[in-house]
Amino acid sequence: MVCGDLPAERDYMNIRKQKEREELNRLSEYAFKVIDTKGRKRSIIPCEIRTDFERDRDRIIHSKSFRRLKHKTQVFISPETDHNRTRLTHTLEVSQISRSIARALKVNEDLTEAIALGHDLGHTPFGHSGEQVLNEICPFEFRHNIQSVRVVERIENDGRGLNLTHEVIDGIKNHCHGFKPSTLEGEIVFFSDKIAYINHDIDDAVRFGVLKEKDIPGIFTEVLGNTNSQRINTMIMDIIKNSLHKDKIKMSDEIYKATMGLRKFLFENVYHSKMAIEEGNKGKAIVKRLYDYYTKHPEKMPTDFYKRVESDGLSRSVCDYVACMSDIFAINTYKELFIPSTIWGM
C-alpha cells in the first residue's frame, strides 16, 4: 500500500495551505499574511505542515547562536545565582509578551514570535559592554541588531545562514531605537523588548541589591504599578487598547511617558551604576584583548571563521568570532591564552 494514496495522508499534505487560508479569515486587516511574504534570498521547497514564518521560528530555535544566548549577559555579568536573567531568558520573555499582544490584536503571531526569538542573536559577550568596546575598536560601526542580521544571513549554518524570510529579518534589524519595522509584528517586538528589559532589569537589580523597590520614583509607580507584574500588565494592556483595529502599534501618551521615564531611571541607576560599570569594564578588557589576539593570529580561529578572512576581511571576521562568544567561552578562552597554568610538582 502506498501511503500517499491514503485520504488521511492527502489531508496531511494540505496542512500548511489550510493554515495560510485560515490566516486570511482570522487575522486583522492590518496583520501581515504569510502568503504576502517577499520570500527568502534562496528558494526552498515549501514545508508540508509549517508556514514560512513557523519555519523561520524553528530555524532560529535550533540554531547554535540561539543556544549560546543562555550564557550571555543581560545586565549582570556571570553572577553566582540561578535566578538572574540571561540573554536567553530575556528573549523568551520578549517572545511571550509579543505573542500576547499579537494574539489580542489578531496580527500574525508566528511572524511576531520569529522576530522576537531572533532579535538578540547578534549580542556580544558581556552585554552592551561588549557591544560598546567592539564599536570602539572595530574599523566599522558595530550594533547588535545589525550583527543579529549578519548572524542569520552570514554566520549561522557554516556561513550559509538561516535563509529567513524578508519580514523576519526586517523585524530583527529594526527592533532598536532609531529603526522602523515595516510590519505591525515588528513594531510589537520593538515595544515588547522595552517592556521586558525595563521590568526584568529592575527585578534583577533589586535582587542584587543595586536597587530597592522604594527607590523607584512614585511618579512612575503611580502610573504603571508597584510590582513587576503590575507594570508589565499595565504596559501590555495599554498597547492593546491603543492599537486595536489600527495600522500602528502605540502606547497612550501617559503610559509611554512613564515607561520612558522608568527606562531613563534604569540607565542612571542600574546600567550606569558603579557596580555595572566596574564589571562592564572587566568584560570590555577581555573582549578587546581577544580581538587584538585574533587579529594578530587569525589562524587560531575556528576554520569557518578563518576561511572568511579573505572574502570578508580580517577585522570583520575577527569581530564576528569574538561577538559570537558567550561570556563563559570568552572568559575561558582568555584564561587559556593569557593566564599561566598552575604547574604542579615544581
Side-chain angles (χ1 to χ4, degrees), residues 214-276:
K214 65 180 182 180
D215 295 332
I216 305 173
I219 190 175
F220 306 135
T221 56
E222 290 172 5
V223 175
L224 300 173
N226 292 310
T227 68
N228 190 51
S229 177
Q230 289 174 356
R231 290 187 286 266
I232 291 175
N233 186 68
T234 297
M235 294 174 186
I236 290 175
M237 292 302 298
D238 186 73
I239 286 177
I240 293 171
K241 290 176 182 177
N242 288 277
S243 306
L244 192 62
H245 307 309
K246 296 180 181 178
D247 62 354
K248 182 177 177 61
I249 305 300
K250 62 174 296 185
M251 285 179 166
S252 66
D253 291 342
E254 180 186 28
I255 300 301
Y256 182 78
K257 182 178 179 180
T259 299
M260 291 300 102
L262 192 55
R263 179 177 181 268
K264 182 180 179 181
F265 170 80
L266 267 176
F267 271 88
E268 294 173 349
N269 295 275
V270 177
Y271 306 145
H272 295 160
S273 67
K274 180 180 179 181
M275 174 184 175

Side-chain angles (χ1 to χ4, degrees), residues 56-69 117-118 121 151-152 156-157 161-162 164:
D56 283 358
R57 173 203 62 202
D58 295 347
R59 288 183 171 204
I60 290 168
I61 288 175
H62 290 282
S63 68
K64 291 187 290 186
S65 52
F66 185 80
R67 295 195 293 275
R68 285 196 297 267
L69 295 178
L117 292 172
L121 293 180
V151 166
V152 301
E156 269 292 339
N157 202 17
L162 300 180
L164 304 179

Side-chain angles (χ1 to χ4, degrees), residues 69-200:
L69 295 178
K70 67 182 177 180
H71 292 306
K72 290 198 175 189
T73 289
Q74 174 60 26
V75 174
F76 298 97
I77 298 174
S78 300
E80 297 179 356
T81 175
D82 291 334
H83 300 132
N84 69 295
R85 268 71 171 197
T86 65
R87 193 60 60 178
L88 179 60
T89 56
H90 162 73
T91 294
L92 295 177
E93 291 185 36
V94 173
S95 176
Q96 179 271 321
I97 292 170
S98 297
R99 290 177 58 213
S100 295
I101 296 172
R103 185 175 297 182
L105 297 179
K106 293 187 177 181
V107 299
N108 200 310
E109 191 174 339
D110 296 326
L111 172 56
T112 306
E113 183 179 25
I115 294 170
L117 292 172
H119 82 283
D120 268 355
L121 293 180
H123 251 297
T124 63
F126 313 116
H128 288 286
S129 296
E131 179 179 12
Q132 290 167 4
V133 72
L134 284 178
N135 188 51
E136 292 168 3
I137 63 180
C138 292
F140 45 80
E141 183 181 33
F142 184 92
R143 298 189 63 152
H144 77 270
N145 58 318
I146 304 300
Q147 187 68 12
S148 293
V149 174
R150 185 165 175 80
V151 166
V152 301
E153 288 193 322
R154 185 76 179 95
I155 297 175
E156 269 292 339
N157 202 17
D158 296 325
R160 296 186 296 276
L162 300 180
N163 195 27
L164 304 179
T165 55
H166 171 85
E167 293 74 27
V168 172
I169 292 175
D170 173 85
I172 290 173
K173 176 183 177 181
N174 295 306
H175 77 273
C176 293
H177 277 287
F179 293 80
K180 173 65 176 173
S182 66
T183 64
L184 291 188
E185 292 77 6
E187 291 182 20
I188 288 173
V189 175
F190 174 91
F191 277 99
S192 298
D193 184 35
K194 280 70 180 170
I195 293 172
Y197 75 67
I198 287 172
N199 287 288
H200 65 50

